[in-house]
Amino acid sequence: MMKIKSLLLFLIIGNVFFKAQTNNIEKNIPEKRTYEELSKEFYKSRIGEGNSKSIANCYLKKAKSEKNTTQIAEGYVMLHFEENLPNALKYLDSLQHITQNSKENTYPARTYLLKGNLYFRNDNLQSALNNYILGLKYAKEKGNKRQIAMAHINIAYLNNYIGKHEETAKVLRHYAYDVDYMNEDEINSLKLNLADAYIEISKMDSAYTLIQEGLQDSKKNRDVYRYHQNLGLLGYYNLHSKNYQKAIDGLLECKKYFFTNNNDRRDQNYTLLYLGKSYAGLQEKEKAVDFFRKIDSMVLKTSYIYPELRDVYTYLIDYYKANSDKEQQLYYVDRFLKVDQVLDNQFRYISRELPRRYDTPELQQEKESITNELTKRKSLFYIVLSLLLISHLLFINVYFKYKKSEKNYKKIAQDLIQSVNENRVGKNAEPETPIEIHSEILPVTNTENSEDKTSRTISEDIAQNILKELEIFENNDQFLNKGITLGSLAKKIKTNSKYLSEIINTYKGKNFATYLNDLRIDYAISRLANDRKFRSYKIPFIAEELGYNNEQAFTLAFKKRTGTPLSIYLKEIENMSSNQG
């Protein structure tokens, strides 16, 4: 009897244990778990680590099997974090497609903001900025405050990257302290980047306060990663303050952490950069060179390129030049040229903000001379010298030709600016004097005959009515609208295309396309000279504001109309503003 009882007890225990095991197994099957559980596990782990990709795939599979459009979109978002740029863009394109009719106020802004972050992580800052601007536009249309904030903050980070630190600090300070819809992690990140911006604009006390606050808070919350981020920033603070040894002490601790527990290439690169600069500050050149060489090795492996690399390579070039090591000097000149080319291609607007110690053409000549010296040595010394002399003469010839044309461009630009200023001064006293344009405009012949011919085909009343409508069109700056055609304008002013074309040709002395183009460029000439904020915008944005489809169309039209490149005109405005200030 006891044996039977024991057997029954065993069976009961076994059955309970089996059911418990079954429940645990079912709970661990992703398809059996809720979207919230899967999402929480996915975002709890670091992107790209553990089984996060598997969780994202299960999330998407579950959503598709249930035909849940909202969750399918979330699955695409998760998976894009796990892929390289081309595949990630495909997932975001799928996200854009599936949410195109979404009633949620997060779309389509969310897609563009995610694309902006993706491009930023892959060092394509121009595409990142374009997507952030689109994200901001749609976030404003939907009135989504958080998305508006994220767009502003991400653009602020780009501004910090290209040297606009004052503007960056203003935005970050606003969202860190003046709004109530940022979460704790976001506020911590804002303060960290705000401290960095403060260092750049030499608000050292404010930066130090934020860094100490970040160190204490991260210690309290046992956030090891954020602690070392603040410690690294403290190292940069000490470097900027020329407390080189203090900087080194903290940065060495960061180096140990970031290269052991973290594979974020930015943290690793900037830790080595600040260490190298700190040792350079102590005149310990060999140690500085050692860290800068490590940075070069990392760049070769990861292709992570950032503007401060120019400082790294110029230091290495100078070091090996001083030590008469032609081989190493040549190697780092070559590395500098390659990095500089990438920066020029991908970050042209950054390149304009940063001074260069080595001009690219001069470096190219130096590279050629060193190569010839190493291969030919003394036997070919005079040949190399002759080639260098010829190249310098050619360079001088090209240089003077360039300076001559540049001088002419500057004169045209200065005349334009002076015309704008004179018009502004005399605006209230007398009718505005037309801005003098230096482009070649073909003369209109037989105007009188043309008017007679037009008057025979179009009545005077109709002609005057069309001219009044054109005056309204010009005075209200309606020519800035995108997509204006002869037909659409004719429809707007209630006439037909033939009549409108004849009136413009006869009374304006030009065809419709030239008429529209001239209005836009004349507007640009005046507004760029008078509106400092407007000319601070990127050229693609200015082009869009003026109704052009792209930057190239605008710049070509500007030069054709004025006779000077847009870049020269903008530069002369700044020069004249500085002189007046």
Side-chain angles (χ1 to χ4, degrees):
M1 193 68 180
M2 287 296 294
K3 287 183 179 179
I4 294 172
K5 286 184 178 180
S6 297
L7 180 60
L8 287 173
L9 183 62
F10 176 77
L11 289 172
I12 291 168
I13 293 171
N15 188 45
V16 172
F17 179 76
F18 176 76
K19 285 184 177 179
Q21 286 288 91
T22 302
N23 288 337
N24 284 334
I25 290 170
E26 287 185 353
K27 189 175 180 182
N28 288 325
I29 297 173
E31 289 82 354
K32 299 289 184 181
R33 297 161 68 187
T34 66
Y35 291 116
E36 186 179 355
E37 289 172 338
L38 289 169
S39 179
K40 187 176 180 181
E41 183 172 349
F42 177 84
Y43 288 108
K44 184 174 66 176
S45 63
R46 291 281 305 279
I47 300 301
E49 293 183 2
N51 63 340
S52 53
K53 187 171 183 178
S54 174
I55 295 169
N57 277 314
C58 289
Y59 191 107
L60 183 60
K61 183 179 177 182
K62 175 181 172 72
K64 285 185 173 180
S65 68
E66 296 176 3
K67 296 182 180 179
N68 188 326
T69 303
T70 301
Q71 302 305 334
I72 290 172
E74 291 303 317
Y76 288 142
V77 172
M78 288 181 180
L79 279 168
H80 104 277
F81 286 118
E82 304 297 317
E83 297 290 346
N84 57 26
L85 179 62
N87 290 333
L89 285 172
K90 289 178 183 177
Y91 281 119
L92 291 181
D93 287 341
S94 297
L95 173 68
Q96 190 165 20
H97 176 73
I98 203 169
T99 58
Q100 60 185 343
N101 298 317
S102 175
K103 302 299 181 185
E104 296 181 41
N105 75 337
T106 53
Y107 293 104
R110 186 186 187 194
T111 306
Y112 288 111
L113 293 175
L114 287 170
K115 280 187 177 181
N117 291 338
L118 177 64
Y119 279 120
F120 187 85
R121 290 196 301 271
N122 286 274
D123 309 321
N124 188 340
L125 301 192
Q126 186 65 45
S127 294
L129 181 58
N130 290 339
N131 279 278
Y132 288 145
I133 289 172
L134 285 171
L136 179 60
K137 172 188 172 184
Y138 290 114
K140 285 182 175 179
E141 285 181 5
K142 296 290 182 74
N144 191 312
K145 291 193 298 183
R146 276 186 54 78
Q147 287 186 329
I148 292 170
M150 293 306 169
H152 281 310
I153 290 164
N154 286 323
I155 292 171
Y157 291 151
L158 286 173
N159 279 329
N160 198 53
Y161 200 76
I162 63 173
K164 293 186 176 180
H165 308 300
E166 288 276 6
E167 188 174 334
T168 300
K170 181 180 178 181
V171 173
L172 299 186
R173 187 167 52 244
H174 169 69
Y175 285 109
Y177 295 104
D178 300 337
V179 302
D180 58 2
Y181 46 81
M182 308 300 290
N183 64 42
E184 186 179 350
D185 287 340
E186 290 164 348
I187 291 173
N188 289 334
S189 178
L190 285 168
K191 288 181 177 179
L192 184 72
N193 286 280
L194 178 57
D196 179 69
Y198 278 152
I199 294 172
E200 297 294 347
I201 59 178
S202 297
K203 288 190 173 181
M204 305 303 285
D205 291 342
S206 299
Y208 185 76
T209 300
L210 282 173
I211 293 169
Q212 289 301 321
E213 181 184 320
L215 287 169
Q216 292 168 15
D217 185 69
S218 55
K219 256 187 179 181
K220 180 182 175 181
N221 292 293
R222 297 181 180 179
D223 189 339
V224 182
Y225 177 60
R226 187 160 63 89
Y227 173 81
H228 284 89
Q229 280 188 309
N230 277 280
L231 187 62
L233 196 56
L234 181 62
Y236 183 44
Y237 167 87
N238 285 318
L239 168 63
H240 202 275
S241 304
K242 298 185 179 181
N243 295 322
Y244 300 120
Q245 192 56 54
K246 278 188 178 181
I248 290 167
D249 294 340
L251 289 166
L252 286 174
E253 185 180 336
C254 290
K255 176 177 175 290
K256 183 179 179 181
Y257 173 80
F258 288 136
F259 281 86
T260 305
N261 302 287
N262 173 47
N263 58 7
D264 186 288
R265 58 187 183 177
R266 188 190 186 284
D267 292 328
Q268 293 175 347
N269 272 269
Y270 277 92
T271 299
L272 295 182
L273 175 70
Y274 298 152
L275 276 167
K277 287 191 171 185
S278 296
Y279 280 115
L282 292 175
Q283 297 301 311
E284 296 186 32
K285 295 183 180 180
E286 288 74 16
K287 288 185 178 179
V289 165
D290 183 49
F291 281 110
F292 290 154
R293 284 171 63 97
K294 287 177 182 175
I295 290 174
D296 177 57
S297 298
M298 290 177 65
V299 171
L300 287 169
K301 290 178 183 177
T302 64
S303 299
Y304 177 53
I305 293 176
Y306 46 98
E308 290 90 344
L309 285 175
R310 286 199 176 101
D311 297 336
V312 171
Y313 288 115
T314 51
Y315 189 92
L316 289 169
I317 291 167
D318 288 343
Y319 175 81
Y320 287 112
K321 187 174 185 178
N323 286 276
S324 300
D325 189 335
K326 299 291 185 181
E327 294 283 355
Q328 289 297 317
Q329 185 187 354
L330 177 62
Y331 171 77
Y332 286 112
V333 166
D334 189 55
R335 291 290 299 130
F336 180 98
L337 290 169
K338 288 177 180 177
V339 166
D340 188 64
Q341 185 180 11
V342 172
L343 288 171
D344 279 338
N345 291 338
Q346 297 184 356
F347 312 129
R348 283 180 294 170
Y349 53 103
I350 295 178
S351 300
R352 288 196 295 267
E353 301 292 329
L354 295 175
R356 299 180 184 179
R357 289 188 60 197
Y358 285 79
D359 184 67
T360 301
E362 290 178 352
L363 274 177
Q364 188 63 46
Q365 291 175 9
E366 185 176 349
K367 176 186 174 182
E368 291 172 2
S369 68
I370 294 171
T371 302
N372 286 329
E373 182 183 353
L374 290 171
T375 54
K376 303 297 181 179
R377 296 292 179 178
K378 290 183 180 181
S379 60
L380 296 176
F381 174 75
Y382 290 107
I383 296 175
V384 172
L385 190 63
S386 300
L387 289 172
L388 284 173
L389 181 61
I390 293 170
S391 66
H392 275 85
L393 289 173
L394 288 172
F395 174 79
I396 291 169
N397 184 43
V398 171
Y399 175 78
F400 278 108
K401 283 184 178 179
Y402 167 76
K403 294 304 286 185
K404 185 177 180 181
S405 62
E406 185 183 43
K407 185 177 180 181
N408 184 43
Y409 288 149
K410 284 183 177 180
K411 179 64 169 63
I412 294 171
Q414 289 165 1
D415 289 345
L416 284 173
I417 298 164
Q418 186 176 355
S419 297
V420 171
N421 291 336
E422 288 173 355
N423 289 337
R424 185 170 55 189
V425 171
K427 187 175 178 182
N428 297 322
E430 56 184 54
E432 186 173 328
T433 306
I435 298 171
E436 183 183 355
I437 305 298
H438 289 254
S439 61
E440 184 179 345
I441 301 175
L442 295 175
V444 181
T445 57
N446 298 323
T447 304
E448 185 178 341
N449 292 336
S450 297
E451 290 182 6
D452 290 341
K453 185 177 178 182
T454 302
S455 66
R456 288 197 297 271
T457 58
I458 305 175
S459 70
E460 182 63 25
D461 289 343
I462 292 174
Q464 290 303 318
N465 184 57
I466 292 173
L467 287 170
K468 286 180 181 177
E469 291 293 336
L470 287 177
E471 185 177 0
I472 294 170
F473 174 73
E474 294 171 13
N475 291 340
N476 293 339
D477 298 337
Q478 294 173 7
F479 50 83
L480 298 178
N481 297 330
K482 253 190 173 183
I484 299 173
T485 63
L486 180 65
S488 67
L489 182 56
K491 186 176 180 181
K492 180 179 177 62
I493 65 177
K494 298 178 182 178
T495 186
N496 60 59
S497 301
K498 183 179 178 183
Y499 281 10
L500 179 60
S501 178
E502 285 190 25
I503 291 297
I504 291 174
N505 274 276
T506 301
Y507 289 90
K508 304 295 182 180
K510 59 191 80 171
N511 62 32
F512 175 74
T514 304
Y515 167 69
L516 184 62
N517 222 32
D518 289 353
L519 286 173
R520 288 172 172 174
I521 297 303
D522 290 350
Y523 175 89
I525 291 168
S526 178
R527 188 169 175 192
L528 286 169
N530 294 325
D531 190 340
R532 185 175 183 179
K533 184 178 180 182
F534 183 66
R535 65 175 178 267
S536 72
Y537 295 148
K538 296 298 176 186
I539 302 303
F541 181 79
I542 294 174
E544 187 175 355
E545 282 282 297
L546 296 172
Y548 289 97
N549 291 323
N550 54 63
E551 174 184 354
Q552 186 180 19
F554 169 47
T555 53
L556 288 174
F558 189 92
K559 186 174 181 183
K560 183 178 179 182
R561 173 71 171 152
T562 65
T564 187
L566 176 63
S567 58
I568 297 290
Y569 183 64
L570 290 171
K571 187 176 180 181
E572 286 306 305
I573 291 173
E574 295 301 330
N575 288 342
M576 293 177 79
S577 298
S578 298
N579 291 336
Q580 289 171 2

